[in-house]
Amino acid sequence: MTAALAGCGGPGGSGDVTLKLVAADYGDSAANSSKKYWNRLVTAYEGEHPGVRVDVSVYSWNDVDREVRQMVDRGEAPDLAQIGAYADHAAAGDLYRASDLLSIPVQADFVPELSRAGEVNRVQYGMPFAASTRLLFYNKKLFAEAGISRPPTTWKQLAADARALKDAGVKTPYALPLGPEEAQAETLQWLLSGGGGYTDSIGNYDLDSVENFATFGWLRDELVGKGLTGPVPPARLNRADAFAAFARGEVGMLDGHPTLMKTARAKGLDFGMVPMPGNGDGSGSGDGGGGGRASLGVADWMMAFRQNGHREQIGDFLDFVYSEKNVLAFSREYDLLPVTASASADMASSPKDADLAPFLEQLPGAELYPVSKTSWASVSADLKKRIGTAVSEQGSPAAVLGQLQRAATREDTAG
């Protein structure tokens, strides 16, 4: 899906320049496609800044990172890319530093946790564009019909609730999307709730930790193996399909981000949201009092390629993109969290954004992907392909996580 959007850039640029931007689509239909957001933004920019044209190409999340990689490999890098990972491009020397582009007030306005996550060797190359955290969504009607009085806070309770939902005829008690669209998110949220994660305390990959083995063993044995994750095998279930099924009332529970609220409400669904359950005592047994309840944070990134020059024009355009007004407009359009402190403060104090408050509260302590590692793009792609097999009937979490760890180590060493 491609949109050629004409915009103009003025101060800081001279002559006629065309900036090419590749962006991800945050919409779930043509009616709210991101190309409409970019069309409005670029049109507004055009009215104030003569001299620069901005051509925006919008692709689905399934395709956008690959499209940018192929463009770079062909020697046809865009001026700007708004995608999922930046560090491999930074390590190759392809990107401008954020400080080369942005005015000091704009760069200083980024949420500190996100700004630091955009650094490679303490230099910021990745500019956060959108952020989200995760909560457990549950269908209140299905819970009531299954006799469940409150949402779970531990794995043991989640499994018991899933069993009750299945006994009540719910098609998918817990949706576990480990398909290729966004398996890295569902995986990390579960690893964190089990006391593990993708990396250890000093930042080395730690995919094959004892905690991670226990987490995926529990998922295989207590959810998937007992038929509590629905008719589609987790390895083939994508997030978008899981969200759509939840909005249709076919799913009892799932791990969701803020955009699911709008989709569910549009279908008239009565739902609740709580922090993701923890594994209790940290043993992976599901007993105990809800320990290991760390939240996943996700940030998507804007980056600027050096190949075509245009540094001044890119910087001027990005200052406009990251104005408080535009950051809030995007965040509210797609129910995402602002990436700047000024927009976050506005959202936190605004009654109309009250639904996003639980997600916003999670952000300061959330754990993000290891996006500053140049190997992350490759590791993430590998994980999307393989991780779902770890919970299949004959799957071996130890074998799959071991393979992923070895591959991640090779990529990290090579990088």
Side-chain angles (χ1 to χ4, degrees):
M1 180 166 46
T2 303
L5 308 176
C8 301
S14 60
D16 294 329
V17 170
T18 297
L19 299 179
K20 294 184 178 180
L21 166 62
V22 175
D25 194 358
Y26 289 83
D28 56 13
S29 68
N32 69 343
S33 170
S34 291
K35 67 179 180 179
K36 291 193 172 184
Y37 168 79
W38 286 111
N39 186 40
R40 292 192 299 268
L41 185 143
V42 171
T43 298
Y45 187 73
E46 175 182 62
E48 300 176 12
H49 303 78
V52 176
R53 176 179 173 83
V54 183
D55 289 341
V56 183
S57 298
V58 178
Y59 296 92
S60 77
W61 275 109
N62 290 331
D63 302 322
V64 67
D65 287 82
R66 182 180 66 252
E67 288 288 337
V68 171
R69 168 54 60 195
Q70 290 175 348
M71 293 172 72
V72 172
D73 289 346
R74 292 195 306 266
E76 301 171 358
D79 296 282
L80 292 156
Q82 186 270 298
I83 54 177
Y86 67 86
D88 53 337
H89 297 297
D94 294 336
L95 302 182
Y96 284 114
R97 301 180 180 201
S99 59
D100 292 335
L101 302 166
L102 302 173
S103 64
I104 292 174
V106 169
Q107 188 175 6
D109 195 29
F110 287 130
V111 173
E113 293 83 2
L114 301 179
S115 184
R116 288 193 293 270
E119 296 178 353
V120 174
N121 296 325
R122 300 186 180 181
V123 176
Q124 185 178 2
Y125 296 94
M127 293 161 278
F129 183 76
S132 67
T133 54
R134 300 298 174 110
L135 294 173
L136 180 74
F137 283 67
Y138 63 98
N139 183 314
K140 290 184 176 181
K141 179 175 181 288
L142 296 181
F143 266 49
E145 291 174 349
I148 304 170
S149 60
R150 61 178 64 88
T153 60
T154 68
W155 290 2
K156 184 177 182 178
Q157 292 168 4
L158 186 146
D161 290 347
R163 168 56 64 184
L165 289 163
K166 183 177 182 180
D167 291 345
V170 175
K171 186 176 181 180
T172 304
Y174 181 86
L176 184 66
L178 296 176
E181 179 191 358
E182 203 186 31
Q184 80 282 7
E186 185 76 11
T187 297
L188 183 54
Q189 180 58 73
W190 276 102
L191 296 183
L192 291 172
S193 70
Y198 284 148
T199 57
D200 60 22
S201 60
I202 59 173
N204 294 320
Y205 284 114
D206 196 27
L207 294 161
D208 59 350
S209 68
V210 172
E211 293 83 0
N212 293 349
F213 288 165
T215 294
F216 266 77
W218 187 88
L219 288 172
R220 180 196 60 191
D221 299 339
E222 302 300 324
L223 289 187
V224 182
K226 294 185 177 179
L228 303 179
T229 54
V232 180
R236 297 208 304 266
L237 181 63
N238 281 327
R239 180 209 59 184
D241 296 329
F243 279 17
F246 181 80
R248 292 194 301 267
E250 299 170 2
V251 174
M253 301 174 277
L254 83 170
D255 166 28
H257 57 58
T259 58
L260 179 55
M261 293 190 300
K262 181 179 291 186
T263 305
R265 286 206 182 97
K267 297 290 187 178
L269 195 74
D270 186 14
F271 63 92
M273 302 178 299
V274 294
M276 280 293 292
N279 73 332
D281 60 6
S283 67
S285 65
D287 299 322
R293 296 178 68 181
S295 177
L296 162 68
V298 176
D300 303 323
W301 302 95
M302 179 74 77
M303 62 211 70
F305 288 86
R306 298 165 54 89
Q307 179 179 316
N308 304 315
H310 304 158
R311 180 182 65 83
E312 293 183 5
Q313 294 89 346
I314 291 170
D316 186 62
F317 179 65
L318 288 177
D319 275 359
F320 184 80
V321 168
Y322 284 108
S323 68
E324 181 178 344
K325 174 184 175 181
N326 288 327
V327 171
L328 278 171
F330 179 83
S331 300
R332 287 168 172 159
E333 175 74 20
Y334 297 105
D335 287 324
L336 291 167
L337 304 182
V339 297
T340 62
S342 59
S344 295
D346 189 305
M347 179 173 282
S349 63
S350 173
K352 68 180 177 180
D353 297 314
D355 287 345
L356 285 169
F359 295 95
L360 201 58
E361 291 169 3
Q362 299 268 334
L363 187 58
E367 182 161 336
L368 280 70
Y369 304 135
V371 290
S372 63
K373 297 175 78 66
T374 59
S375 55
W376 171 240
S378 296
V379 171
S380 176
D382 194 26
L383 189 145
K384 290 178 185 180
K385 294 177 184 176
R386 301 191 195 191
I387 195 63
T389 63
V391 297
S392 64
E393 184 177 356
Q394 302 299 323
S396 169
V400 173
L401 289 166
Q403 291 168 357
L404 289 168
Q405 174 65 29
R406 290 189 291 273
T409 301
R410 287 195 300 270
E411 290 287 345
D412 209 29
T413 302

